[in-house]
Amino acid sequence: MIGLNHYLILSGLLFTIGLVGVVRRKNLLMLFFATEVILNSANIAFAAASHYYGDLAGQMFAFFIIAVAASEVAVGLGLLIVLYKKHGSLDLDDLASMKG
Amino acid sequence: MSNEITIKIDGIEYKTQEGEYILNAARANDIFIPAICYLTRCSPTLACRICLVEADGKRVYACNAKAKAGMEVVTSTEEILEERRAIMEVYDVNHPLQCGVCDQSGECELQNYTLELAVDSQSYMIPDTKRETTNWSSVLHYDPGLCIVCERCTTVCKDMIGDAAIKTGPRGGTALDKGMKDAMPKDAYSMWNKLQKSVIVPSNGTGETKCSDCGECVAVCPVGALVSRDFVYTTNAWDLKRIPATCAHCSSGCQIYYETKPTSIEDPSEKIYRVTNEWNYVSLCGAGRFAYDFENRVASKDSDAFDKAVEALTKADSIRFNSVISNEEALMLQTMKEKFGKKLVNADAYAFQHFLRAYGRPAGKLLYGSDFKKIMKTDFVISVGSALRNDNPNARYAFNNIQKMNKGAGLYFHPIGDKVIADLGKSVETFAHKPGLEEAALYLILDLFAKREELPEEIVTYLDSFHSKGTKTIKEKVMENVTSTVVDKETGESKEVTKKVPKMVEKEIEVDINSLVTLLGGAENFSEIFEKMMKKKSSFSLIVGEDLYFHPNAENLAGLVSMIEKTCSMEVVLVPPKTNSLGVALICDLDENTEGYTVGYNENGDFKLSALGDGDLDMPAMNQQEGTLTNMNKRVTPTNAALEYNGYELNDLMQGLKVGRHLTVDWTEILADKKGFQAIAFDDLPNGYSNSGEEQRGYALKNIGKRASHALPKKFDENMKLEGEIAYRCNPQRQFNDFTDKAHQIFESFSLYASPARAEVLGEKVEVDFGTEKILFDVATDERMEGDIVKIPDFKSAKDIYALFGGDRFKNVTIRKV
Amino acid sequence: MEIVNLAVLPEVTSAGVAIKAIIILAIISAVAGFGTFIERKVLAFMQRRLGPMHVGPYGLLQIAADGIKLFTKEDIVPQNANKLIFKIAPSITAATAFIALAAVPVFPDFTIPEWIPLLGGVFVPSIAADVNVGILFILGMMAAGLYGPLLAGMAQANKWGIIGSARTAVQFLSYEVVTGLSMLAPIMLVGSLSLVDFNNYQDGGFTSWMIWQQPVAFVLFLIAGFAETNRTPFDLLEHEAEIISGFATEYSGMRWGMFFIGEYANMITISVILAVVFMGGYNDLGFMAGWFIVVFKIAFFFFLMLWVRASWPHIRPDQLMWLSWKILMPVAVVNIVITGIVMMI
Amino acid sequence: MYEQIAFYLFSVLTIGLFLVTVLSKNLLYSMTALAAGMVMISGFFFLLGADFLGVVQLIVYVGAVMALYAFAMMFFDATRDVKEKNPNGAWIFLLGGMVALMMVLIFSAPIFSENIQAIYPSIAGATNPQSVGLVLFTKYLVPFEVAAVMLLVAMISGIILAGKKMDQSLTTEDDVLNTEIITEEDDK
Amino acid sequence: MSLEQFKNRNVGEQPYVLIESEHRPKSGMGRFQRVVNRTFKKELFTGLYVTMREMINTLFRGEMAAVKYPFEKLPISPRYRAIHDMLRLLESGHYRCIGCGLCEKICISNCIKMDTRYDENQRKEVTEYTINFGRCIFCGYCAEVCPELAIVHGGRYENASEQRASFSLFEDMLTPIDALKQQQEFDGFGAVTPNADNAIKKTPLAY
């Protein structure tokens, strides 16, 4: 039988993947993708906890995470487009105008 | 010759020669006077009457009226226009409306003049007569339905060609209504009257012309009545592409146009459909007009054969060729001689070259002095050593034209009698001398024409030695006065009347007997005849033929000819034996015999280059290549490629030998290094005639002078004459070389030609023993030959007839019936 | 990827579900193919033409000929395209269209008669996967379907393709809002997301059809349905006159054909939802059996799509956006509010 | 049985797809893999009985969020490979592994504690959407409204950011200063 | 025409009609009314009505407009200028072409070719005649110029070919001898003008 552990381990693995992406990638869009991976791993954990404890609070959190993700995409993508138009690139190394 | 005068045509003054016909004067000055029947170089026919003009207020026919100084000519008035219109209407009566299928296809003068004179309605009519089309010979097709009886064909045949093979004959049409005479213009009526009665028929009374098949009548026909049989209904004239060229068959080098078109729908390759010429200025022979399909069709370049040919040329010691090549090719061969030391061997040109040099030595000239243009203006012509009818048709046309147009006279020295020559005019005297006596003939000419004071002493003495006095009984007409008494019936008076009555009286006179005439077989009363012939003669010309070049004493003969030219004020022209013999003789340094490995160009050899398609490497025929030819009028004339050639040409071989140029015609300009040639690029050579008949083709060779060396001509040896069975190296008419033989419309066979009487004796087939070799020949009858000498043709290079005759034109042979 | 929640339907055997799935797949895919024939015929008749006539009687086998053609045609993949995505994209369209059908009840549930060997007595449910969020699942799957044209356009390295996929994103995103909101009012009335419940809600005969209670929602869903299925007058994704063929520009052969199968399957899905949600579903109508009458309802909506295609012109992309955001969405919201107020009262 | 098969299948697919997302050099592959991974995750939600959450995942994440990403990607060149200087991977993967281990330990802590009480237990007899609705609109009403406002704000700001003179270049400072907020004008 | 002239040209004499364009509604209410009008009164449902009416007419009232082209063909106007026909003489059945070559000459795309020869009856005989339909532009000059009315344009318009150049041979274009009775001749292009007899000037060729 699949238990909560399975889901938590899966969630941990996905979180790690997302984390590696966040640390490693330099492309802003890729960073966004990695962030989405992390958020989804959290969602799985919440849903699993909710299921195995019969508590709906987990699902509620998942909903709010989805809402946050959606907001993040709306604002973030707008910023990305502005950045791209200004610099012609989405690479973090290129966006160093504030660097001392 | 004649004086320059000024006449006024339509109010504008023009210069012309005295005695020139008004029509010619107008034409030379680009003024248009309509004329259908008149031919420039022939006598006026007066058949069409359309060239009516008003000269000094009188109506005259422009083709017939001579220009006088100060004459005022009006080319058209109301009445003349009316008359002309009526004439054209009459010509259109019953002329079939077959313009759609007529072979004249738009080149029709009837159409042109009908439109020019705005004939848009018809006022006259008469029932038509059924006239069947006929074929007069292997090449002539006559449709009397289309014929307008302008008689151009008969005129040209008589005045230019000399065959007089056709004439007007009865038509069998309805006679004109007499009332017509008043109802229509006078000239139109008389023209119609004549037209309604006649058609053209062969003059020998049969359905066939039996002429020399030159086709000149086809060329001059203004409508589609006379057409070459091969051309009938095959194409329209407008589809044909005209390629100006020079005829490559004999040394006349006549101007021609090859007219080409794709063969058929399936076969897009170009084909020559016919040959046309500027018939106002040049006349062709049968070979020129009908032997056009001698091209060498080659599918593609055969590089293997080419490599072998280059190899063969590299190792060759000598090159054998004949004179059916262009100047450029001759120059290439000469280059090969100069660069690689090849021997150049050319049987016909070698003899001619020697003769030309010997002839030029005393005169200090490179070339003979005259050309045929000038000769045709003279009124006394002598031909020595040429079978005129066969050797060079244009020489014969000139000979004839002098008789007909200039009221001239002619002497013809040749061992073989020729009926055609004898029939050319009453004032033509033929000498059927024995072969070998050509020197005697030249001495006779010297005797007859030379100014004694200009001749060297020795010659005068020598000539005088032939003369002797003799007596002769002649009958003379003497007028006697006879008086008789006559009684007048009305008055009864008698009167004495004196009448003059002719009476024949025999009389002995002293005459000068010339033993040369007797020796040459002249008429007994030659001196009287000659006296008549010489009446009103002012200019003289001499045509020298091939016999002299191949004579054992050729050098002496050349000296004599040179002397004749100098002392007799005679226009002299030499007839080169083959197409470009003159060019080859001038350009190439020839050798007598081959040596070692031989490359033959259109001739036998160890390796054969051939334009006939029978050699080891194909070469283009003359209608497939560009180049220039030197003709007997000392003109370098350009010729163009009428048909495509896919193979290699001589220039490619030269390139293979690393001495070639980019194009064959690149050689034209550098001909200039040689003896009278000029540095003109091929593309700059003109090719045409001006309206006044001036020849503008290529350029004339300069007659470069050189140091003269005098040597007296030797006396002749009477014993040189040949007796017994003699063969004469001479081609049938219309056959000149392998190329004419290849053409499908020329079929004179490679046979032994004999006069009818001789042919009967010989039977059908004979074996001719040349001493070294025996050859079987069929016997063919030449209706116009006389005498016992037989002709053996040399047009097949494969048979090597030149070698058999051994540098002579006459040879004693043994003929056996087989 | 069918989500089969066996716990919810204990009496349903897996055999029954399988049979239902096969029925749906077989019938719908056949009908989807046949739909092209119908479309060509109907359009032809509306233009006084004959349409396909030569393959089979009245051109009935035209679909076979087309299939053979599509299968045997060369499958061209452009050189600069992202080849993997380019190849996957058409199957996304087709797959999502059929997955969505899993949650659609087409016919009432029935038991196979005993006399049929092997399968006798098997209970076949009305729906293959009766998820309790049925209607939302369908909408979700159709939303996922937008990846077909989207990826196809982006992967093919063709500017028409890019424009096509941009229009895909814009059009589908906008009209998902309208479909969702318009469907919300009936959901509120029924109080369930299951389409079976929708069907049962309308079992009171002709007068109990949802269309009488929610006419605005019906019209909104109908319009949005046209946009979601990429049908004229909203077929901007591949509008030939403007952008050659849009997302399908570089496609050929069967890959191109899969887009069409997906489109026709989506058309059928929309027709079925319209029939089930608004037109009384597969309830018996008078003397007519439900399974019989529902076919006519579905066929009518299918025909309506063809009819509209024959009648109306395309609209511009900006007009499409204007329609979605400024007309349909506010109307849908207002409809929901009114529905809520009415329910409260 | 089915559950296990489904779980492992989805797990493998999800991990694989997310790895592609994170490691791929091609934006298009990343985006496609991420979207597909989202679908898989909705599969987990269905497995976990959170039907409504699954559908929301499908509609919002797959249908909207990822579509927005795709739409934004059209502004960039999606077919070109991403060029970036990636730092040394070994450290990152080591670090990542450690974090993963820690996470797993932290998350698996509840396994040993049995005394956790459900604050909002599932309502018996109600389907998942119903119970979600009940909880959401009672206990979580305020967060829900806040989230809604947040979404609205995000949407408007997104439009403003991306919609600024879409047809003009924003490469100079002056342009940025001079730009106005352009609202869509109704010219119909 | 210069720009000035172009602007000043008199448009008024030409039968142009200015169409009143619909007023653009200013107020929101006006726009709403326009939408309603368009939807219910004029455009949307009228469109649906028209197509449905056509479908019913097509299916049930036999107003089908389509022709099953390869199997049935619409009659083509006798003046249609497609692939050439070579006509025969109605009396003797011999073909009319005399091989004059005028069509070959006048052809502006140079696509007609013919071979002729002198036949046994001393007539000009056309041995082969082709038209290259890859080149022919169907200008009709050949028919116009033909003095015998032998070549005319016919109604055979299917000249698609597998090859770039498709040729027609004489036999293909010639009226079959058994179809001589069906050979139609029309006034007009390539035919004698109706008053041809009057136009010819009378010439006394009464014989």
Side-chain angles (χ1 to χ4, degrees), chain B residues 325-625:
Chain B
I325 61 171
S326 65
N327 292 328
E328 285 75 12
E329 286 178 302
L331 183 59
M332 288 180 212
L333 295 172
Q334 175 65 13
T335 311
M336 254 191 263
K337 172 164 187 153
E338 284 164 13
K339 291 257 162 90
F340 308 113
K342 316 280 179 207
K343 278 183 183 289
L344 299 182
V345 180
N346 181 332
D348 59 272
Y350 181 74
F352 184 62
Q353 191 176 41
H354 270 257
F355 188 86
L356 198 60
R357 283 177 186 166
Y359 159 84
R361 220 170 284 136
K365 295 274 182 194
L366 211 58
L367 290 168
Y368 44 92
S370 189
D371 60 42
F372 278 90
K373 267 261 140 81
K374 287 184 191 152
I375 281 185
M376 278 167 91
K377 295 230 164 63
T378 63
D379 45 21
F380 198 110
V381 60
I382 306 157
S383 160
V384 181
S386 174
L388 214 46
R389 178 165 60 89
N390 307 52
D391 282 359
N392 192 310
N394 254 38
R396 164 200 161 188
Y397 297 163
F399 196 94
N400 170 57
N401 199 239
I402 288 164
Q403 314 306 324
K404 302 285 163 54
M405 293 297 292
N406 304 352
K407 300 197 179 69
L411 294 178
Y412 179 71
F413 295 91
H414 200 269
I416 302 173
D418 197 321
K419 277 183 196 162
V420 172
I421 304 293
D423 290 347
L424 288 181
K426 281 175 187 159
S427 53
V428 173
E429 218 26 50
T430 56
F431 290 83
H433 60 81
K434 292 284 178 200
L437 291 178
E438 284 81 4
E439 284 162 291
L442 292 180
Y443 273 114
L444 178 62
I445 295 165
L446 264 183
D447 184 37
L448 291 173
F449 296 96
K451 301 187 188 81
R452 297 278 157 149
E453 60 275 13
E454 285 180 18
L455 282 175
E457 285 289 313
E458 295 90 335
I459 303 292
V460 177
T461 351
Y462 184 57
L463 286 176
D464 285 344
S465 68
F466 296 113
H467 286 271
S468 58
K469 303 274 177 206
T471 50
K472 195 180 175 187
T473 314
I474 55 163
K475 283 183 178 172
E476 205 178 26
K477 207 193 273 175
V478 179
M479 289 300 179
E480 253 183 18
N481 286 338
V482 179
T483 313
S484 59
T485 312
V486 178
V487 181
D488 193 323
K489 281 178 185 164
E490 285 179 18
T491 53
E493 282 176 41
S494 62
K495 230 198 262 179
E496 275 202 357
V497 178
T498 312
K499 272 188 190 165
K500 280 196 173 177
V501 175
K503 190 184 170 189
M504 300 306 281
V505 178
E506 285 203 357
K507 196 180 170 186
E508 287 261 301
I509 53 159
E510 198 173 76
V511 287
D512 177 41
I513 297 170
N514 192 339
S515 62
L516 279 173
V517 175
T518 332
L519 180 68
L520 293 168
E524 265 181 47
N525 54 348
F526 176 72
S527 55
E528 288 162 46
I529 297 167
F530 185 67
E531 210 172 307
K532 266 190 217 160
M533 283 165 81
M534 284 298 282
K535 271 180 195 163
K536 288 189 191 166
K537 300 295 184 291
S538 57
S539 50
F540 305 92
S541 54
L542 174 66
I543 299 171
V544 174
E546 201 181 333
D547 297 7
L548 272 57
Y549 321 147
F550 289 94
H551 196 276
N553 286 345
E555 240 170 88
N556 193 35
L557 285 164
L560 277 168
V561 171
S562 182
M563 180 168 276
I564 289 169
E565 184 174 28
K566 214 157 81 182
T567 58
C568 308
S569 61
M570 228 175 232
E571 306 279 346
V572 173
V573 66
L574 309 185
V575 179
K578 291 270 178 187
T579 309
N580 200 14
S581 294
L582 180 57
V584 172
L586 289 174
I587 294 164
C588 295
D589 214 356
L590 298 168
D591 300 287
E592 193 173 4
N593 287 314
T594 56
E595 211 173 77
Y597 188 85
T598 309
V599 172
Y601 182 17
N602 289 337
E603 289 279 342
N604 292 333
D606 297 321
F607 189 92
K608 193 172 178 187
L609 313 172
S610 173
L612 295 160
D614 61 349
D616 299 311
L617 180 70
D618 284 305
M619 286 280 134
M622 282 307 289
N623 58 4
Q624 290 169 300
Q625 58 173 325

Side-chain angles (χ1 to χ4, degrees), chain A residues 5 8 16 25 27 36 51, chain D residues 22 24 48 61 84 100 107 111:
Chain A
N5 301 10
L8 289 179
T16 314
R25 302 312 293 253
N27 187 293
E36 298 294 343
H51 176 69
Chain D
V22 168
S24 170
L48 290 167
Y61 251 126
E84 50 187 7
F107 279 137
I111 297 169

Side-chain angles (χ1 to χ4, degrees), chain A residues 16-80:
Chain A
T16 314
I17 290 169
L19 191 70
V20 168
V22 168
V23 176
R24 192 164 172 267
R25 302 312 293 253
K26 297 281 177 164
N27 187 293
L28 275 177
L29 204 61
M30 287 299 191
L31 285 178
F32 270 92
F33 288 169
T35 317
E36 298 294 343
V37 172
I38 291 176
L39 291 177
N40 275 288
S41 73
N43 276 359
I44 289 178
F46 278 123
S50 159
H51 176 69
Y52 284 102
Y53 289 103
D55 188 346
L56 283 168
Q59 289 190 28
M60 294 304 114
F61 271 94
F63 281 123
F64 290 123
I65 285 173
I66 289 176
V68 167
S71 327
E72 168 232 319
V73 166
V75 181
L77 279 177
L79 285 170
L80 278 195

